[in-house]
PDB file of all heavy atoms in Angstrom:
ATOM      1  N   LEU A  71     -27.986  38.628  31.774  1.00  0.00           N
ATOM      2  CA  LEU A  71     -27.788  38.864  30.329  1.00  0.00           C
ATOM      3  C   LEU A  71     -26.404  39.505  30.017  1.00  0.00           C
ATOM      4  O   LEU A  71     -25.777  39.092  29.041  1.00  0.00           O
ATOM      5  CB  LEU A  71     -28.919  39.869  29.828  1.00  0.00           C
ATOM      6  CG  LEU A  71     -30.221  39.217  29.468  1.00  0.00           C
ATOM      7  CD1 LEU A  71     -31.149  40.270  28.858  1.00  0.00           C
ATOM      8  CD2 LEU A  71     -30.099  38.081  28.490  1.00  0.00           C
ATOM      9  N   ARG A  72     -25.980  40.482  30.813  1.00  0.00           N
ATOM     10  CA  ARG A  72     -24.751  41.079  30.515  1.00  0.00           C
ATOM     11  C   ARG A  72     -23.574  40.098  30.730  1.00  0.00           C
ATOM     12  O   ARG A  72     -22.569  40.049  29.962  1.00  0.00           O
ATOM     13  CB  ARG A  72     -24.534  42.306  31.418  1.00  0.00           C
ATOM     14  CG  ARG A  72     -25.587  43.402  30.896  1.00  0.00           C
ATOM     15  CD  ARG A  72     -25.744  44.410  31.976  1.00  0.00           C
ATOM     16  NE  ARG A  72     -26.637  45.493  31.556  1.00  0.00           N
ATOM     17  CZ  ARG A  72     -27.309  46.330  32.314  1.00  0.00           C
ATOM     18  NH1 ARG A  72     -27.216  46.250  33.569  1.00  0.00           N
ATOM     19  NH2 ARG A  72     -28.124  47.239  31.795  1.00  0.00           N
ATOM     20  N   ASP A  73     -23.683  39.236  31.729  1.00  0.00           N
ATOM     21  CA  ASP A  73     -22.599  38.257  31.981  1.00  0.00           C
ATOM     22  C   ASP A  73     -22.552  37.234  30.866  1.00  0.00           C
ATOM     23  O   ASP A  73     -21.398  36.688  30.531  1.00  0.00           O
ATOM     24  CB  ASP A  73     -22.889  37.498  33.305  1.00  0.00           C
ATOM     25  CG  ASP A  73     -22.476  38.379  34.559  1.00  0.00           C
ATOM     26  OD1 ASP A  73     -21.842  39.455  34.350  1.00  0.00           O
ATOM     27  OD2 ASP A  73     -22.809  37.926  35.663  1.00  0.00           O
ATOM     28  N   LEU A  74     -23.679  36.964  30.198  1.00  0.00           N
ATOM     29  CA  LEU A  74     -23.697  36.099  29.053  1.00  0.00           C
ATOM     30  C   LEU A  74     -23.107  36.711  27.825  1.00  0.00           C
ATOM     31  O   LEU A  74     -22.955  36.060  26.828  1.00  0.00           O
ATOM     32  CB  LEU A  74     -25.182  35.631  28.753  1.00  0.00           C
ATOM     33  CG  LEU A  74     -25.749  34.655  29.851  1.00  0.00           C
ATOM     34  CD1 LEU A  74     -27.314  34.598  29.652  1.00  0.00           C
ATOM     35  CD2 LEU A  74     -25.168  33.246  29.694  1.00  0.00           C
ATOM     36  N   GLY A  75     -22.817  37.985  27.879  1.00  0.00           N
ATOM     37  CA  GLY A  75     -22.256  38.620  26.714  1.00  0.00           C
ATOM     38  C   GLY A  75     -23.288  39.202  25.787  1.00  0.00           C
ATOM     39  O   GLY A  75     -23.001  39.452  24.608  1.00  0.00           O
ATOM     40  N   VAL A  76     -24.497  39.390  26.250  1.00  0.00           N
ATOM     41  CA  VAL A  76     -25.569  40.007  25.399  1.00  0.00           C
ATOM     42  C   VAL A  76     -25.346  41.496  25.450  1.00  0.00           C
ATOM     43  O   VAL A  76     -25.544  42.144  26.391  1.00  0.00           O
ATOM     44  CB  VAL A  76     -27.021  39.656  25.908  1.00  0.00           C
ATOM     45  CG1 VAL A  76     -28.027  40.220  25.069  1.00  0.00           C
ATOM     46  CG2 VAL A  76     -27.180  38.024  25.982  1.00  0.00           C
ATOM     47  N   ARG A  77     -24.916  42.024  24.233  1.00  0.00           N
ATOM     48  CA  ARG A  77     -24.637  43.422  24.217  1.00  0.00           C
ATOM     49  C   ARG A  77     -25.827  44.318  23.833  1.00  0.00           C
ATOM     50  O   ARG A  77     -25.814  45.513  24.148  1.00  0.00           O
ATOM     51  CB  ARG A  77     -23.519  43.708  23.180  1.00  0.00           C
ATOM     52  CG  ARG A  77     -23.796  43.356  21.771  1.00  0.00           C
ATOM     53  CD  ARG A  77     -22.516  43.494  20.961  1.00  0.00           C
ATOM     54  NE  ARG A  77     -21.976  44.817  20.952  1.00  0.00           N
ATOM     55  CZ  ARG A  77     -21.826  45.570  19.835  1.00  0.00           C
ATOM     56  NH1 ARG A  77     -22.207  45.109  18.604  1.00  0.00           N
ATOM     57  NH2 ARG A  77     -21.280  46.722  19.871  1.00  0.00           N
ATOM     58  N   ARG A  78     -26.856  43.712  23.272  1.00  0.00           N
ATOM     59  CA  ARG A  78     -28.124  44.474  22.982  1.00  0.00           C
ATOM     60  C   ARG A  78     -29.321  43.462  23.234  1.00  0.00           C
ATOM     61  O   ARG A  78     -29.192  42.250  22.844  1.00  0.00           O
ATOM     62  CB  ARG A  78     -28.260  44.987  21.612  1.00  0.00           C
ATOM     63  CG  ARG A  78     -27.284  46.249  21.361  1.00  0.00           C
ATOM     64  CD  ARG A  78     -27.692  47.476  22.110  1.00  0.00           C
ATOM     65  NE  ARG A  78     -26.875  48.588  21.644  1.00  0.00           N
ATOM     66  CZ  ARG A  78     -25.635  48.856  22.107  1.00  0.00           C
ATOM     67  NH1 ARG A  78     -25.023  48.036  22.929  1.00  0.00           N
ATOM     68  NH2 ARG A  78     -24.965  49.930  21.661  1.00  0.00           N
TER      69      ARG A  78
END
Side-chain angles (χ1 to χ4, degrees):
L71 276 185
R72 291 162 179 161
D73 284 350
L74 288 164
V76 179
R77 62 188 299 240
R78 291 291 190 279

